[in-house]
Amino acid sequence: MFSYRIKEMLLAKGISKPYTWLRGIGIYHNGAYRLLGTKKITYIPLEQLCKVCEAAHCTPNDLITWDFNHKKSTIPPEDAPKHPLYAIRPRAATNLAEKLQKLSAEQLRALEQQIVDMEGEV
């Protein structure tokens, strides 16, 4: 079973107001509310998915998780790690801003250099 983790991904990227951010990239009120709501989303128009991916610099794999333990899954849990979908299994939400606050000045400089190096690779 697939589920969306759009809100979690945006928060992990430091976007503290996901609804406002979605509206800012051109997602209408109902669409933004639906993408962030607590209801199960069964359909996202590809145009909206593309807008989110382009603006957030991510792929659909970053927005979707696969629950291999779902009762409707046809893959036994012991075989799940061998399946390609295992790469998009649910993972814990990360608050990078909180983690950054705990780094020392030296660690922040090292991280900044790593980011600069990664930007050069793109």
Side-chain angles (χ1 to χ4, degrees):
M1 175 67 93
F2 288 130
S3 59
Y4 293 99
R5 59 180 308 270
I6 295 168
K7 184 175 183 178
E8 293 86 353
M9 192 274 308
L10 294 176
L11 291 172
K13 285 185 163 274
I15 298 167
S16 60
K17 296 181 179 180
Y19 172 83
T20 304
W21 185 87
L22 287 169
R23 294 286 289 136
I25 65 166
I27 306 286
Y28 292 111
H29 164 76
N30 289 341
Y33 182 75
R34 190 170 33 87
L35 292 176
L36 301 173
T38 56
K39 290 183 179 179
K40 281 283 188 195
I41 304 169
T42 57
Y43 169 75
I44 295 179
L46 288 177
E47 179 183 349
Q48 287 184 3
L49 191 62
C50 186
K51 280 184 182 183
V52 171
C53 288
E54 287 177 349
H57 300 281
C58 67
T59 69
N61 278 3
D62 299 319
L63 305 175
I64 298 170
T65 61
W66 175 58
D67 181 5
F68 57 88
N69 286 318
H70 192 275
K71 62 184 176 186
K72 292 185 179 179
S73 179
T74 59
I75 298 172
E78 62 273 8
D79 292 340
K82 300 174 205 159
H83 197 283
L85 286 173
Y86 193 72
I88 61 169
R89 68 192 178 282
R91 36 201 191 281
T94 301
N95 185 335
L96 292 178
E98 189 177 286
K99 290 184 179 197
L100 287 172
Q101 291 173 1
K102 295 178 182 177
L103 295 179
S104 69
E106 184 178 318
Q107 290 172 315
L108 285 171
R109 281 191 294 276
L111 179 60
E112 183 180 15
Q113 185 57 51
Q114 286 180 323
I115 291 170
V116 168
D117 293 345
M118 286 190 309
E119 287 176 335
E121 294 174 8
V122 177

